[in-house]
Amino acid sequence: MAKSIQAIRGMNDCLPEQTPVWQKVENILKQVVSSYGYSEIRMPIVESTHLFKRSIGEVTDIVEKEMYTFDDRNGDSLTLRPEGTASCVRAGNEHGLLYNQERRLWYIGPMFRHERPQKGRYRQFHQFGVEVFGMASADIDAEVILMTAQFWQQLGLTDHVELQLNSLGSNEARAIYRDALVAFLTEHESALDEDSKRRMHTNPLRVLDSKSAAVQAILVDAPKLSDYLDQESKDHFAKLCQILDAAGVKYVVNEKIVRGLDYYNRTVFEWVTESLGSQGTVCAGGRYDGLVEQIGGKATPAVGFAMGLERLVLMLDTLDLNQDIAPEVDVYSVLVGEGTDIQGMLLTQQLRQTLPSIKVMNHCGGGNFKKQMKRADKSGARIALILGESEMETNQVTVKDLTGKNEQQTVAQSALAEVVATMLEN
Ligand code: ATP
Ligand code: MG
């Protein structure tokens, strides 16, 4: 026998048992984002490698060690997108959507990062993201955060996530802070771990979110970013907090949130959970006023976020919040006797036309009554339509409520849709 071929490590199949949970999450996200009037944008999965190097930053984890980069047949360096923001800005610039305009956009799709696969961390994963362009004020930061709060509410996750907020200030303020931080870290260099020693020179703010307890102990006395914020950024942050307070959205200010990517300024935020172990960030975002210009457009303020769908699905599973998922079949036909295969096909076809929102599965392949009833049960259907020889003779059909809530009825085939609709409601 030939050796079987398996999926690439860290790239998962989503099997039929799991897809209903995914569909539930995706439907809720899409419904909420459209209730805010946002428009969908779809970008390619592969982009020029330069795009990510220039936008995400050369000295970030993503660009240094996580990208799937390869040369195509022309020798051009391409990369499977590790995130959506850069592609979205690239598309916006390319099609003239951004400059001097207001755009509220969202996207959904797979992203690729070569990380060590573990629970909540994969090499192909999926993000739902929002990017808003053309607004510099704190009210739009608040709007996107309120939208995320609405997601949790609709998903039933509000009690299981916490909002952490920070302000990174302006680029100028952050540069001054960076110097102060590097001076402090240099003084304590001998006590830092290897990772932090390296980051200290390449991306010093990232030392702040080091996972090492020893490094965190040293950081207690480090200069604080909040002491370096420019007045405008302070006002911006105060306004954001004021709106969140008014809307009753709880948050904690966490000065350690700096985000891994170069492009953020001012507001940064993360929604974290304790339900998933160490992969606790389910949504992350912030303001990135410099990015559009950095990748060749005209200066345009922007704010956005991305969330990891695998982590949301895991949370719903872990917290056992998927009881409300509707079965994939409402009605299953049971066809026993001469001519019932054809009549069953026609009857169910007609039923779907009259009641397009109900899910009707027609039995195929014959078999005895008992076997077909077992299939009906296994399908999860609420109702079995039974078409036997006696029903064929009288142009009737038997409608059986498999939950036993309603009496079994034998009715005219022409009345089927009405009877099914009533039974499903009761
Ligand atoms: P982490 O600190 O967990 O590595 P990140 O800062 O790299 O996250 P972002 O680039 O901000 O993550 O991506 C936004 C969200 O996408 C994360 O909060 C997470 O929910 C999800 N995510 C990121 N990387 C992965 C991955 N490898 N597998 C699954 N989900 C991921
Ligand atoms: Mg990461």
Side-chain angles (χ1 to χ4, degrees):
M1 208 166 69
K3 194 165 177 270
S4 67
I5 299 172
Q6 300 191 331
I8 308 295
R9 197 163 113 84
M11 305 203 178
N12 301 316
D13 298 303
C14 186
L15 300 178
E17 291 70 35
Q18 268 292 303
T19 46
V21 185
W22 280 82
Q23 288 169 353
K24 165 177 156 171
V25 171
E26 290 164 8
N27 289 341
I28 288 177
L29 299 178
K30 288 177 188 175
Q31 180 259 317
V32 169
V33 77
S34 79
S35 77
Y36 283 75
Y38 285 47
S39 319
E40 184 183 11
I41 179 164
R42 301 184 183 192
M43 299 86 66
I45 284 169
V46 185
E47 297 271 1
S48 159
T49 302
H50 299 299
L51 173 65
F52 302 114
K53 286 200 173 165
R54 218 200 280 180
S55 59
I56 296 170
E58 296 265 4
V59 290
T60 54
D61 283 354
I62 294 182
V63 172
E64 276 185 338
K65 43 189 193 206
E66 296 175 358
M67 293 203 308
Y68 277 91
T69 297
F70 58 96
D71 286 348
D72 77 356
R73 287 172 191 275
N74 304 328
D76 298 326
S77 180
L78 306 183
T79 295
L80 298 184
R81 63 181 186 193
E83 51 116 63
T85 304
S87 305
C88 186
V89 172
R90 196 265 314 135
N93 280 340
E94 190 169 330
H95 301 286
L97 305 183
L98 307 184
Y99 181 62
N100 252 343
Q101 298 171 64
E102 290 180 356
R103 293 278 178 183
R104 290 166 158 97
L105 307 175
W106 64 272
Y107 60 83
I108 189 168
M111 306 294 163
F112 303 84
R113 297 185 194 177
H114 196 277
E115 303 194 69
R116 191 170 69 78
Q118 52 196 294
K119 184 179 161 200
R121 192 176 292 287
Y122 311 99
R123 290 182 173 176
Q124 173 173 331
F125 62 101
H126 298 78
Q127 284 185 340
F128 179 94
V130 156
E131 316 290 353
V132 177
F133 299 95
M135 284 165 270
S137 48
D139 47 3
I140 188 67
D141 300 20
E143 176 175 297
V144 301
I145 292 176
L146 289 184
M147 177 194 287
T148 54
Q150 182 79 350
F151 292 142
W152 315 137
Q153 210 256 323
Q154 295 288 309
L155 288 164
L157 293 176
T158 304
D159 294 340
H160 306 280
V161 287
E162 179 184 79
L163 174 60
Q164 303 195 347
L165 271 187
N166 193 19
S167 176
L168 298 178
S170 64
N171 291 339
E172 298 73 32
R174 201 160 66 254
I176 300 171
Y177 171 70
R178 181 193 283 242
D179 291 345
L181 181 64
V182 172
F184 172 86
L185 293 172
T186 308
E187 258 174 59
H188 297 83
E189 187 162 358
S190 57
L192 297 178
D193 62 356
E194 286 313 307
D195 227 22
S196 301
K197 276 185 191 158
R198 193 174 51 85
R199 282 182 172 162
M200 180 181 129
H201 299 292
T202 57
N203 195 348
L205 264 63
R206 281 234 72 183
V207 177
L208 296 179
D209 62 13
S210 163
K211 298 256 181 333
S212 151
V215 173
Q216 285 302 336
I218 293 164
L219 289 174
V220 172
D221 299 318
K224 286 186 151 194
L225 181 52
S226 55
D227 292 333
Y228 288 75
L229 290 190
D230 51 299
Q231 191 56 44
E232 258 187 88
S233 294
K234 280 186 191 165
D235 295 344
H236 186 100
F237 194 60
K239 180 79 188 186
L240 169 62
C241 293
Q242 189 193 354
I243 301 174
L244 295 178
D245 289 337
V249 173
K250 293 197 196 76
Y251 55 86
V252 293
V253 176
N254 178 355
E255 288 207 35
K256 296 269 160 61
I257 294 190
V258 294
R259 306 296 307 127
L261 318 184
D262 277 356
Y263 52 60
Y264 288 109
N265 65 298
R266 291 206 171 136
T267 310
V268 284
F269 66 94
E270 289 188 7
W271 285 93
V272 297
T273 179
E274 292 187 343
S275 315
L276 294 180
S278 51
Q279 265 54 255
T281 305
V282 289
C283 174
R287 179 162 280 285
Y288 52 95
D289 296 332
L291 182 62
V292 176
E293 199 173 16
Q294 197 175 312
I295 55 185
K298 292 196 180 140
T300 305
V303 57
F305 63 78
M307 45 210 219
L309 301 187
E310 279 76 5
R311 294 186 192 177
L312 295 184
V313 167
L314 266 172
M315 266 187 97
L316 293 175
D317 281 341
T318 308
L319 296 164
D320 208 14
L321 293 175
N322 291 321
Q323 306 311 321
D324 61 336
I325 290 180
E328 291 195 277
V329 178
D330 298 314
V331 175
Y332 193 98
S333 68
V334 171
L335 315 171
V336 191
E338 187 65 32
T340 56
D341 52 352
I342 297 179
Q343 189 57 18
M345 193 68 84
L346 301 183
L347 209 54
T348 48
Q349 190 73 352
Q350 213 168 51
L351 189 57
R352 295 184 195 102
Q353 279 163 9
T354 319
L355 302 174
S357 64
I358 70 162
K359 302 167 217 163
V360 183
M361 187 174 277
N362 186 46
H363 181 81
C364 289
N368 63 30
F369 180 76
K370 204 170 147 202
K371 173 184 148 186
Q372 294 194 33
M373 282 305 285
K374 266 198 189 149
R375 290 279 167 82
D377 275 328
K378 199 165 168 231
S379 76
R382 166 89 193 274
I383 292 174
L385 301 183
I386 303 165
L387 202 57
E389 268 158 20
S390 57
E391 283 92 353
M392 283 293 277
E393 269 167 31
T394 53
N395 284 331
Q396 288 181 303
V397 55
T398 298
V399 185
K400 183 177 167 72
D401 185 342
L402 295 173
T403 64
K405 269 195 202 158
N406 294 280
E407 284 284 312
Q408 174 171 318
Q409 300 174 45
T410 299
V411 301
Q413 290 180 7
S414 57
L416 178 62
E418 212 184 309
V419 174
V420 165
T422 316
M423 203 177 271
L424 285 174
E425 271 167 25
N426 294 293

